[in-house]
Amino acid sequence: MIKKTTSTFIVYLKLLIAFSCVFTTKVIAQNKQTLLFKHLTQEDGLSDPTIKALHTDKDNFLWIGTENGLNRFDGTSCITYKESAKNRSSFPGNYITKIIEDKEGNLIIGSQSNLVKYNKAKDSFEAYSFSNPNLKSNYYSFPFYIDADENLWVYLAGNVYKYAEKQKKLSYVTTYSNGYAFTPIPCYKKLNWFVSRGVKGIYLNEANDVKEKHVKEFFMGSQTLVSHIEDVYFASDTLFWLAGDKGLIKLNPASKKYQTFNSYLKEKNIACTAIAKYPGKPWLFVGTRNNGLLIFDLTTEKFIDQYVHQSSNLFSLSANYIRRIYIDKKQNLFISVDGYGLDYTNLNKVIFPRYLDKKESNNANFDNDISYILKDKYGKIWCGTKNSGLLIYNQGLDKSARHEFLKMGISKLVELDNGNLLIELSTGSFYIYVRTLDKFLPLKTSFSKTYNGKVQINQIMKFGDDLYTATEYGVAKANIRNNESLFLNMVDDINRSLNWPNIQRLIPISKNKLLVQTFYTSTYLYSFINGQFKYEKEIGRSPYAINGNVTIGDKIFLATTSGLIKYNTTTSILDNLSIFDANCTSILADKNQNLWIGSNNGLYFYDNQKQSKTRYTISDGVQSMVFNPNSISLIDENQIAIGGINGINLFNPNKTNIYKSVSQPKITEILINDQPYTESGNPITTNNLNLKHNQNTLTFAFSSMDYINPKQRKIVYRMVGYDNKEVTVLGSNRIRFPNMPSGSFKLELLDAQSNLKTTLSITIGAPFWQKWWFISSMSISLILLSALVLYLYLRWIKHQQLLQLRQMINFQKADRKRIADDLHDDLGLKLSSLKHYLLAGDINKMIDSGELRTLSSEYIDEAVNVLRTTLINLSPKTLDESGLIIALQDLTESIGKLGIVKIHFDYSGFTTVLKSAQQYALYRICQELINNTIKHAQAKNIYISIINRDEKLILLYEDDGKGFDYESVKRGYGLSNIEAHVKAIKADIELDTEIGKGVAVTIIINLRQNIKFKIDD
């Protein structure tokens, strides 16, 4: 029994020591940033996982030189340039050694095969051509500096040279180099000295010492310390920091004194491979061969932190062998990890230092799932876990005081007025921490009523001077008796007034007001008067769990499983809509009355004044996306601790503004009619596009140029002059404008965060038929053609008028001839007969007998009838006085009296009024048809019918004569006269006849037409 107790004690003691060691090492953690790395690998388009060179150009593209190709990276996509048989004469070799940039933004790229310049404007490569026969082809190059005179300093095939590009002159400098060279100053200044790397150690070279009299050697074979140097950082002319296989070496080149640093914690003989100055801090980033990334403090001259690969952490380093370290002007940190690719992050990004990290605890049995955080009035931090007990820290979480209840879960922590703490374990057992005794004492639990089984206690809170609990059977008042028992007295004032007294949450409003929420149902308001609770009303339905609450002014903010919900204490109104939608687990107000809300979807910050929210995720350093209920506490006005399933985050609420990197979107590809467009050169440097009219389907690929969160960066674009509509997209994207019209346009890309804009002017030419010269010539041609057409038309009109005049003359001539014939044949014959009769007879006898009177009267009457008939034919008086129907009746009756032909006239279907010109024309047509029938047809009957139907007037004329062949008969005066009258009134005529079948004529007048005649009515 004694052995067992001793063994158990030793196990607990070891665990306690282990935890103490872990937590005390976290002191430094709150003074440094947590680096959360993203990763670029071959799966993302990187040509090779071994990176030898890194450089960010003026447009913020990262150029990555590997052992198998050159890559351009924009934070989202990776483009590879590789040497092949087709481009071998111009492309760099695939093994890249170094990349530098000239003033024009062109890149000078060294490789194991040649030295090449990349022309950014043309997006093309051109190999350097040297007169030295040893540099014609296949030589190792390492460009490292451009001086004030724009001379290029470069290592070529065993020697260092200075190359004046304008003069094409290559000048020898030194042979003391093994390929790599380092300079103490930035480009475009006078270079006085530089450091070159040897097989072992380094050489310090004077820039103009071509005779090599003053070359200094360090860490070579003859010296005490022999080291292979990989990288150099120049703190000053007399202080170098070297990364070598013997560690980090501090060297004074003047005194030749040095000091090595190669141990951190338990790790010894650390081999260093890369070095870079941490911007704005007295620190160095030091890459190692197998120990990850170290931070070295230049003030204390000690390694203060380490970043290594963690298999359970996606944001840790890919591996622990670092090849290169590069930091750009935006403080993006790029790490070349041997065999894995590129790891990168930003040094200014918002992060949340993490505590109780399971991986770093070195104890697989330790559970860092935080269940409760409480700061007591004495400044100590009480931290409960789900399965690994209770941890007690001093203020600031920088020193662990003790660890209790190992391998047990903590459910609740409540501070009492006397400084003691009430603790509930996950088993339902209660303990009390008695501060005066510094002991944890168990409490026996009892209820004022008897319940079957264990009673679920959902909450313990203080209201007034007393403790109250929310249980599954109602509200109970809690009393601790002599630090030995916990007695729960059920509050019947509340419990009896509820239909279902399963209480989820108690929320104090004031000293005499209390909100009571039943489990996932409703929230009720109670008043507390004279020691008794009184039901007032139901506030509203609340089908969710309330996990925490904060009161600010007259508002109570509730962290619920349905989001952040607001309750107004003045109006007693509970909002139905949440401020934002998330499963909120904990809530706290900082000194500025802004809210911090833990959730199952990250950490939220709610600005109470601006009523805006910000969400922080794992990429910002939070322990996980899941935070636990009751696991948030205000440590002091500048520190908040919040816990979740993977430890604790401790942060300053006043310094958590999201880092907004300054980025300008760039056009990375241009497609015209869905084909790559290369005529304008590099899309990145193209400012203008001049296109033909049929090059009108435009596609642009662009990059947000952000290495922090490129996929969520807002880019606003619009095509000015086309639709002018602003469209917002997230991250790098591709936009297409199909079938654009001719004209001048401007594509604008705007970063919504930095307001930096990229503009591309576009001109789409018009087709030749829209050009001014074509339009002008066509206009002139149309004018001339119109004049010609008008001239010809006027001539045609004049010709038609002449034809009509001739026809009219012919008509008049024929009419005169007919009148003359009528007068001659009828009137003249009667008068001539009368004359001959008078001359031949005995006048006296004729007078006496009265024969002369009788004969003269008879001949004169016949002559008058002939004259009357002729006058009627010329201008029928009845037509003018009584209209068409009466005139036609007179005509048919007068002809019928002759007995030559019988005429049937039907006008019963005629009910309209015609114009005088129409009446005259129809009368003449009927007259002409009747004359033709009498003269030629030998008909017995004529049928004339005139009707109006469907806004049309129809004249039907038929005879039963012998008919004729319409095509072969000679067209005499009659038919021509009829057609002339038909045309005059714009009517239609149909004539149907055959030999032996008579004649049928149909004339149709459209009564809708508003015909204006020039004929004198």
Side-chain angles (χ1 to χ4, degrees):
M1 188 70 174
I2 296 175
K3 290 182 179 180
K4 184 176 180 180
T5 304
T6 304
S7 176
T8 303
F9 173 77
I10 292 173
V11 170
Y12 276 97
L13 182 61
K14 288 181 178 180
L15 287 172
L16 181 60
I17 294 172
F19 292 141
S20 299
C21 292
V22 170
F23 302 134
T24 53
T25 60
K26 296 298 179 181
V27 177
I28 299 173
Q30 61 184 355
N31 296 320
K32 62 94 176 177
Q33 287 183 314
T34 300
L35 299 180
L36 304 172
F37 291 100
K38 297 180 181 179
H39 312 287
L40 178 68
T41 67
Q42 287 174 293
E43 293 180 357
D44 306 304
L46 187 65
S47 62
D48 189 84
T50 303
I51 297 172
K52 307 296 291 186
L54 294 166
H55 175 77
T56 303
D57 66 18
K58 293 180 180 179
D59 292 309
N60 296 315
F61 287 93
L62 177 69
W63 292 84
I64 306 169
T66 73
E67 290 187 354
N68 189 27
L70 177 67
N71 303 263
R72 190 191 75 191
F73 182 54
D74 59 11
T76 304
S77 60
C78 193
I79 297 176
T80 299
Y81 300 84
K82 287 188 67 174
E83 183 185 43
S84 65
K86 294 182 179 179
N87 58 35
R88 187 163 295 165
S89 61
S90 60
F91 261 54
N94 287 338
Y95 189 109
I96 308 299
T97 60
K98 183 70 175 177
I99 305 170
I100 62 175
E101 186 174 4
D102 66 15
K103 285 185 176 180
E104 287 72 35
N106 301 319
L107 302 181
I108 301 170
I109 304 164
S111 72
Q112 274 193 335
S113 303
N114 55 6
L115 181 68
V116 167
K117 175 175 284 191
Y118 170 72
N119 188 313
K120 177 172 285 188
K122 297 180 179 179
D123 192 23
S124 62
F125 296 91
E126 182 181 359
Y128 280 83
S129 178
F130 302 111
S131 58
N132 190 323
N134 296 325
L135 303 175
K136 291 298 181 182
S137 63
N138 199 26
Y139 56 86
Y140 184 99
S141 66
F142 188 95
F144 62 91
Y145 194 71
I146 302 175
D147 63 22
D149 298 323
E150 299 188 25
N151 297 313
L152 174 65
W153 293 70
V154 57
Y155 173 91
L156 298 170
N159 301 312
V160 175
Y161 295 91
K162 181 172 65 174
Y163 179 64
E165 187 169 4
K166 294 180 181 179
Q167 295 79 23
K168 304 295 182 182
K169 182 180 179 181
L170 190 67
S171 303
Y172 171 84
V173 176
T174 182
T175 189
Y176 284 93
S177 177
N178 192 38
Y180 279 65
F182 311 94
T183 56
I185 55 177
C187 287
Y188 299 106
K189 295 184 178 181
K190 183 180 179 182
L191 184 65
N192 295 317
W193 56 271
F194 63 92
V195 168
S196 60
R197 194 178 71 179
V199 176
K200 294 287 184 179
I202 58 172
Y203 301 100
L204 180 58
N205 305 274
E206 291 185 9
N208 294 319
D209 186 17
V210 296
K211 294 184 179 180
E212 302 171 335
K213 293 183 178 180
H214 304 288
V215 178
K216 295 180 180 179
E217 300 179 356
F218 299 93
F219 313 114
M220 300 294 186
S222 61
Q223 299 177 2
T224 304
L225 178 66
V226 178
S227 178
H228 177 76
I229 304 300
E230 292 280 358
D231 206 354
V232 181
Y233 166 67
F234 300 99
S236 67
D237 288 355
T238 57
L239 179 58
F240 299 174
W241 291 92
L242 313 176
D245 57 357
K246 298 301 173 61
L248 179 65
I249 304 173
K250 176 184 178 183
L251 171 66
N252 185 329
S255 66
K256 296 187 177 182
K257 292 182 179 180
Y258 66 88
Q259 186 179 358
T260 60
F261 305 89
N262 59 8
S263 62
Y264 176 64
L265 298 179
K266 297 180 180 180
E267 298 171 357
K268 307 296 182 183
N269 301 320
I270 297 174
C272 299
T273 56
I275 189 170
K277 176 68 172 57
Y278 197 120
K281 295 183 183 294
W283 297 345
L284 293 177
F285 279 117
V286 180
T288 70
R289 185 167 298 169
N290 293 305
N291 299 100
L293 181 67
L294 297 175
I295 293 182
F296 184 80
D297 192 323
L298 294 171
T299 304
T300 61
E301 294 192 347
K302 291 181 179 179
F303 289 107
I304 60 173
D305 199 29
Q306 181 182 29
Y307 297 92
V308 295
H309 171 67
Q310 300 175 15
S311 59
S312 61
N313 185 359
L314 295 176
F315 296 94
S316 67
L317 287 172
S318 299
N320 295 327
Y321 190 162
I322 309 300
R323 281 281 189 179
R324 295 284 180 271
I325 302 175
Y326 178 76
I327 304 173
D328 68 9
K329 293 180 180 179
K330 295 182 179 180
Q331 298 191 12
N332 292 312
L333 171 65
F334 300 98
I335 305 292
S336 166
V337 182
D338 187 61
Y340 287 86
L342 182 72
D343 289 356
Y344 59 101
T345 187
N346 187 276
L347 300 179
N348 291 328
K349 196 175 187 301
V350 168
I351 49 81
F352 295 84
R354 188 182 306 169
Y355 294 82
L356 299 178
D357 188 285
K358 189 170 183 178
K359 178 68 177 179
E360 296 178 2
S361 69
N362 296 321
N363 191 322
N365 296 321
F366 174 70
D367 178 16
N368 60 343
D369 192 345
I370 307 303
S371 60
Y372 221 105
I373 298 178
L374 178 129
K375 178 193 174 186
D376 66 18
K377 64 178 67 176
Y378 300 98
K380 287 189 176 181
I381 312 300
W382 299 71
C383 176
T385 67
K386 288 288 182 69
N387 295 297
S388 293
L390 178 65
L391 302 165
I392 307 171
Y393 298 89
N394 63 352
Q395 186 169 348
L397 289 173
D398 57 357
K399 186 176 181 181
S400 173
R402 60 198 294 180
H403 186 196
E404 299 289 340
F405 304 107
L406 278 70
K407 296 185 179 181
M408 295 185 182
I410 307 298
S411 294
K412 295 177 183 63
L413 295 170
V414 181
E415 185 178 14
L416 307 177
D417 290 341
N418 56 9
N420 296 340
L421 262 77
L422 179 64
I423 302 146
E424 183 188 9
L425 303 183
S426 57
T427 59
S429 301
F430 281 90
Y431 282 78
I432 186 170
Y433 170 73
V434 182
R435 186 170 299 279
T436 56
L437 301 176
D438 192 25
K439 289 183 178 181
F440 294 88
L441 304 177
L443 295 175
K444 295 181 180 180
T445 306
S446 61
F447 287 82
S448 60
K449 295 183 179 181
T450 302
Y451 300 104
N452 294 325
K454 179 182 175 182
V455 178
Q456 174 68 38
I457 297 176
N458 298 317
Q459 181 196 14
I460 304 176
M461 50 79 67
K462 187 176 180 181
F463 181 66
D465 296 328
D466 299 310
L467 285 181
Y468 288 87
T469 62
T471 77
E472 60 180 313
Y473 293 109
V475 179
K477 183 177 180 180
N479 294 309
I480 300 175
R481 300 174 177 176
N482 299 323
N483 296 331
E484 293 179 353
S485 65
L486 175 65
F487 178 73
L488 300 176
N489 186 20
M490 305 306 292
V491 182
D492 293 334
D493 299 341
I494 295 176
N495 301 333
R496 289 175 180 173
S497 63
L498 297 173
N499 293 329
W500 187 46
N502 187 343
I503 309 301
Q504 169 75 26
R505 192 81 181 179
L506 303 174
I507 303 171
I509 297 178
S510 63
K511 291 182 179 180
N512 56 0
K513 295 285 185 180
L514 181 70
L515 290 179
V516 178
Q517 187 213 14
T518 54
F519 196 80
Y520 280 89
T521 49
S522 295
T523 301
Y524 306 92
L525 177 64
Y526 285 84
S527 58
F528 186 67
I529 302 173
N530 298 326
Q532 291 185 334
F533 288 96
K534 180 181 179 182
Y535 176 86
E536 291 197 3
K537 62 178 178 178
E538 180 181 353
I539 297 301
R541 303 292 294 175
S542 53
Y544 41 73
I546 299 176
N547 296 316
N549 55 275
V550 166
T551 301
I552 300 177
D554 62 348
K555 306 290 191 304
I556 297 179
F557 293 91
L558 307 175
T560 78
T561 54
S562 292
L564 182 64
I565 294 176
K566 185 169 54 178
Y567 170 72
N568 191 309
T569 58
T570 303
T571 62
S572 296
I573 295 176
L574 182 67
D575 286 355
N576 291 324
L577 297 176
S578 57
I579 297 174
F580 58 83
D581 185 17
N583 184 351
C584 301
T585 56
S586 54
I587 186 170
L588 183 73
D590 60 24
K591 67 176 183 179
N592 298 317
Q593 300 296 288
N594 295 319
L595 301 178
W596 293 88
I597 304 103
S599 77
N600 283 353
N601 193 29
L603 175 65
Y604 284 88
F605 168 71
Y606 180 71
D607 191 315
N608 195 29
Q609 300 296 323
K610 298 179 181 178
Q611 296 185 353
S612 62
K613 70 178 186 295
T614 304
R615 183 170 72 102
Y616 299 98
T617 66
I618 294 175
S619 63
D620 298 306
V622 298
Q623 49 82 38
S624 73
M625 295 297 287
V626 179
F627 291 87
N628 291 329
N630 306 310
S631 297
I632 190 168
S633 178
L634 186 65
I635 305 303
D636 55 46
E637 65 178 13
N638 293 320
Q639 280 188 316
I640 292 176
I642 184 168
I645 62 174
N646 193 28
I648 300 175
N649 289 118
L650 181 68
F651 61 93
N652 186 336
N654 304 312
K655 297 180 179 180
T656 54
N657 294 324
I658 291 181
Y659 171 65
K660 297 180 179 180
S661 63
V662 178
S663 294
Q664 181 180 5
K666 296 290 182 181
I667 297 173
T668 57
E669 187 180 15
I670 299 175
L671 301 179
I672 304 298
N673 294 340
D674 300 321
Q675 297 297 322
Y677 185 72
T678 58
E679 294 181 20
S680 62
N682 194 341
I684 298 168
T685 59
T686 298
N687 298 317
N688 297 282
L689 281 181
N690 293 306
L691 305 172
K692 299 177 182 178
H693 71 92
N694 55 354
Q695 296 176 309
N696 60 348
T697 294
L698 282 59
T699 304
F700 303 96
F702 66 87
S703 171
S704 62
M705 299 306 298
D706 182 21
Y707 293 96
I708 296 175
N709 199 6
K711 293 183 179 180
Q712 296 301 317
R713 198 169 186 98
K714 290 184 179 179
I715 305 296
V716 180
Y717 73 84
R718 66 171 179 161
M719 184 67 78
V720 180
Y722 179 55
D723 57 8
N724 296 319
K725 180 182 179 181
E726 291 188 347
V727 180
T728 301
V729 295
L730 293 178
S732 302
N733 221 306
R734 184 179 291 263
I735 50 181
R736 188 173 186 266
F737 299 92
N739 302 320
M740 288 189 62
S742 301
S744 297
F745 312 97
K746 188 178 290 184
L747 175 63
E748 293 181 349
L749 296 170
L750 176 69
D751 187 291
Q753 183 172 291
S754 66
N755 286 325
L756 293 178
K757 183 188 295 184
T758 293
T759 302
L760 176 65
S761 298
I762 303 167
T763 301
I764 301 177
F768 72 89
W769 57 84
Q770 294 180 2
K771 299 290 182 68
W772 68 268
W773 57 266
F774 182 81
I775 295 174
S776 299
S777 61
M778 288 302 297
S779 299
I780 294 172
S781 300
L782 287 174
I783 292 172
L784 295 176
L785 181 62
S786 299
L788 178 61
V789 170
L790 179 61
Y791 171 73
L792 295 175
Y793 177 72
L794 292 176
R795 285 195 62 182
W796 180 80
I797 291 294
K798 186 175 181 180
H799 177 68
Q800 291 298 112
Q801 289 175 344
L802 289 174
L803 290 177
Q804 291 178 0
L805 181 59
R806 290 172 185 171
Q807 192 174 21
M808 187 180 299
I809 292 171
N810 291 332
F811 290 163
Q812 291 175 352
K813 183 178 178 181
D815 281 338
R816 292 191 187 100
K817 184 177 182 301
R818 187 176 64 176
I819 294 170
D821 291 341
D822 290 342
L823 293 175
H824 177 270
D825 294 341
D826 294 330
L827 183 59
L829 181 61
K830 296 297 183 183
L831 295 176
S832 178
S833 298
L834 178 60
K835 176 182 176 183
H836 287 297
Y837 183 77
L838 291 175
L839 292 176
D842 186 353
I843 299 298
N844 294 325
K845 185 179 180 180
M846 295 174 66
I847 293 173
D848 292 338
S849 62
E851 184 182 356
L852 178 61
R853 180 185 298 272
T854 302
L855 183 63
S856 297
S857 177
E858 180 181 345
Y859 275 94
I860 290 171
D861 288 340
E862 291 178 358
V864 169
N865 287 333
V866 171
L867 181 61
R868 180 175 175 272
T869 302
T870 302
L871 291 175
I872 289 173
N873 288 335
L874 288 174
S875 179
K877 186 177 181 181
T878 308
L879 181 64
D880 295 331
E881 294 178 352
S882 303
L884 176 64
I885 300 301
I886 302 300
L888 289 176
Q889 281 180 329
D890 287 347
L891 177 64
T892 56
E893 288 176 1
S894 63
I895 294 175
K897 290 178 181 179
L898 298 175
I900 301 172
V901 66
K902 186 176 182 180
I903 301 176
H904 308 271
F905 180 47
D906 180 13
Y907 56 88
S908 60
F910 179 74
T911 59
T912 189
V913 178
L914 298 176
K915 295 181 180 180
S916 60
Q918 293 170 325
Q919 295 184 62
Y920 181 82
L922 291 174
Y923 181 84
R924 287 299 185 191
I925 290 169
C926 289
Q927 189 181 47
E928 196 66 50
L929 289 172
I930 293 171
N931 288 336
N932 287 340
T933 298
I934 293 172
K935 289 181 180 180
H936 307 293
Q938 299 176 8
K940 294 180 179 180
N941 294 285
I942 294 175
Y943 303 91
I944 300 174
S945 177
I946 182 168
I947 61 174
N948 56 281
R949 182 180 300 162
D950 297 331
E951 296 184 348
K952 292 180 181 179
L953 183 136
I954 303 172
L955 175 66
L956 300 173
Y957 179 92
E958 295 184 45
D959 67 29
D960 55 0
K962 63 181 181 180
F964 61 91
D965 185 358
Y966 182 78
E967 297 296 331
S968 62
V969 72
K970 182 179 179 181
R971 308 189 90 190
Y973 165 79
L975 289 179
S976 298
N977 198 12
I978 291 170
E979 290 177 353
H981 285 298
V982 168
K983 288 181 180 178
I985 60 175
K986 297 183 179 180
D988 296 322
I989 183 171
E990 293 181 4
L991 192 148
D992 185 18
T993 181
E994 287 184 31
I995 296 175
K997 291 187 178 181
V999 174
V1001 179
T1002 303
I1003 296 172
I1004 301 173
I1005 300 176
N1006 190 347
L1007 298 178
R1008 287 185 177 180
Q1009 295 179 349
N1010 184 16
I1011 304 172
K1012 295 181 179 179
F1013 296 99
K1014 295 183 180 179
I1015 300 174
D1016 186 4
D1017 294 335

